[in-house]
Amino acid sequence: QELEVLEPSAYYSAEEVKALPRGPRNAGFPMAVLAVSHSWESEEHPDPHGRTLLMLADAITTAQAIQVSKGPYTWQTLPSRVAVFFDFCSLFQPPRAKEEPPIGEGPTMALRAALTRMQVWYAHQLTTCFFVTDGNTETANDGSHTPYHERGWPTFEYHVSAIGKAITSSGWPQLVDVGLGVDTLFERGVPLTPAALEHLLESKRFTDGTDHGLVLSLYKKTVQCMIIGASRLIYSSCEWGPDEVRAFAAAWFSLCDRLEHFSLATNPIGPSGVAAFCENIGPGTLPRLKFLNFFNNQVGDDGLRCIAELLRRTPPHLPMLKTIRITGKNDTTPDGKHALEEACRSRGIKIEG
């Protein structure tokens, strides 16, 4: 709050943030809003020596200057103007030392309200997240600092951020692990279930023990909205293989009654990944699914036959399915496509590819 008084130009108003240039349509029009996830170096101050700030500043300027590439794909650079959410500067802070006066009822209520919505900064599909995973390595071994991945809030932020962000070279990278390097693409794993996150948090450190329940509640709200209640789930270009497909399907498919569009495009899942998908489809699974995207998945003829077998099951599985996309690099032959075409013809399902 002192910084806002001393340096008012350092702060964006809501209207100024809305006016910032947006990313391209094919990337979902992401906003130039960057949420920072970091660990605190001490209970009194997150970054008393400025180490995290320097790492963050270097990461942002690097992301604004270089394009990240992988295979035939090249991502855009981060916009030259971004609004940054950094908790210590962006939220009212309670007194950290005995000599500090209380911040008052209004700021206290504002802080509490902000904490109950903290997941939005990280999980929102239009924000970009920078994880400062090793910003305080100089103090990590002297007992005064708990490293990033051993802290409760950072662990929550790291996992909630990856639930629904797009990974597409049509825009800039929206997930960046600063510790690994801005030029390293983030590998998004399978979203944890609330039970899995709860187990993980048991070994993490919270300065305020009551925050354990809060972050778990925020995570549950997020997956309810972004996975369980979603009509579209797009997990493209995540570097997922058969194990990840199996893990995701086993954890989430039985809960996704509203899902209409599901994409695994440009993941090297192969025929085993298609088999893992099909193994987790029962008579009542994904009852509203209409579009299934296996673009660029190297599914092979065995994968197509596996889908065909699924569609022939009785009672009908995926009863609302209208379109299956198998374009791109899928290593199929006319024989494999013919098997799928026959099964789709009997169900009135369109094949793209």
Side-chain angles (χ1 to χ4, degrees):
Q1 292 70 56
E2 293 178 3
L3 179 60
E4 187 172 5
V5 173
L6 295 173
E7 300 288 346
S9 63
Y11 285 82
Y12 276 108
S13 68
E15 293 305 316
E16 288 174 321
V17 172
K18 291 179 182 178
L20 289 172
R22 302 284 290 270
R25 176 183 179 182
N26 288 347
F29 299 114
M31 300 180 68
V33 174
L34 195 158
V36 181
S37 176
H38 63 97
S39 60
W40 282 48
E41 189 166 329
S42 70
E43 293 185 11
E44 293 75 28
H45 195 287
D47 190 29
H49 306 292
R51 286 189 280 262
T52 296
L53 180 61
L54 290 176
M55 281 195 68
L56 178 62
D58 181 66
I60 291 175
T61 54
T62 300
Q64 291 170 329
I66 69 167
Q67 291 181 298
V68 181
S69 296
K70 187 168 186 178
Y73 303 104
T74 299
W75 276 250
Q76 295 184 6
T77 57
L78 187 70
S80 59
R81 294 177 60 215
V82 292
V84 179
F85 173 81
F86 191 96
D87 58 356
F88 189 70
C89 301
S90 302
L91 302 176
F92 286 108
Q93 297 295 320
R96 301 288 177 179
K98 293 181 179 179
E99 63 272 13
E100 294 182 10
I103 61 176
E105 182 178 355
T108 298
M109 292 178 63
L111 174 61
R112 289 174 180 170
L115 291 177
T116 61
R117 297 166 176 82
M118 191 61 62
Q119 80 279 16
V120 176
W121 288 106
Y122 299 95
H124 201 289
Q125 291 175 316
L126 300 184
T127 65
T128 295
C129 297
F130 273 40
F131 311 103
V132 188
T133 53
D134 66 350
N136 295 308
T137 52
E138 294 180 44
T139 60
N141 297 319
D142 66 3
S144 64
H145 170 70
T146 304
Y148 180 95
H149 287 295
E150 296 179 19
R151 298 297 297 261
W153 273 100
T155 296
F156 159 74
E157 293 158 2
Y158 195 86
H159 287 282
V160 81
S161 298
I163 289 175
K165 289 278 196 296
I167 299 181
T168 170
S169 58
S170 297
W172 59 81
Q174 288 181 252
L175 295 168
V176 177
D177 188 326
V178 174
L180 296 178
V182 174
D183 58 346
T184 301
L185 285 174
F186 189 94
E187 292 189 6
R188 182 169 65 177
V190 175
L192 297 180
T193 64
L197 182 68
E198 182 175 19
H199 178 72
L200 182 63
L201 290 176
E202 289 176 357
S203 62
K204 308 305 177 184
R205 180 174 179 267
F206 288 91
T207 301
D208 184 341
T210 62
D211 285 351
H212 181 283
L214 173 60
V215 301
L216 187 60
S217 173
L218 296 181
Y219 190 82
K220 289 178 179 179
K221 290 180 181 179
T222 306
V223 298
Q224 180 65 44
C225 174
M226 299 188 71
I227 298 181
I228 297 173
S231 61
R232 292 169 60 91
L233 288 176
I234 299 176
Y235 289 100
S236 304
S237 304
C238 295
E239 293 297 319
W240 285 6
D243 290 343
E244 286 78 13
V245 175
R246 182 175 292 104
F248 184 90
W252 298 109
F253 276 2
S254 64
L255 304 173
C256 296
D257 291 343
R258 300 181 182 180
L259 187 63
E260 298 181 4
H261 180 121
F262 184 65
S263 175
L264 288 168
T266 317
N267 285 296
I269 67 172
S272 297
V274 178
F277 172 89
C278 295
E279 288 166 5
N280 284 279
I281 301 296
T285 309
L286 306 183
R288 298 186 186 182
L289 188 69
K290 298 178 181 179
F291 184 88
L292 184 56
N293 190 356
F294 286 121
F295 170 79
N296 218 20
N297 286 143
Q298 300 99 55
V299 300
D301 287 349
D302 287 344
L304 297 185
R305 294 189 183 100
C306 191
I307 301 170
E309 181 183 344
L310 172 68
L311 297 178
R312 293 192 189 99
R313 294 177 188 171
T314 54
H317 292 46
L318 305 178
M320 299 295 291
L321 189 62
K322 301 299 182 185
T323 305
I324 301 174
R325 178 175 293 168
I326 56 168
T327 51
K329 297 179 180 179
N330 269 319
D331 306 322
T332 58
T333 69
D335 287 343
K337 289 184 179 180
H338 179 69
L340 180 61
E341 287 168 355
E342 284 191 331
C344 288
R345 189 179 302 115
S346 65
R347 292 271 304 268
I349 296 172
K350 176 184 176 182
I351 300 175
E352 293 185 1

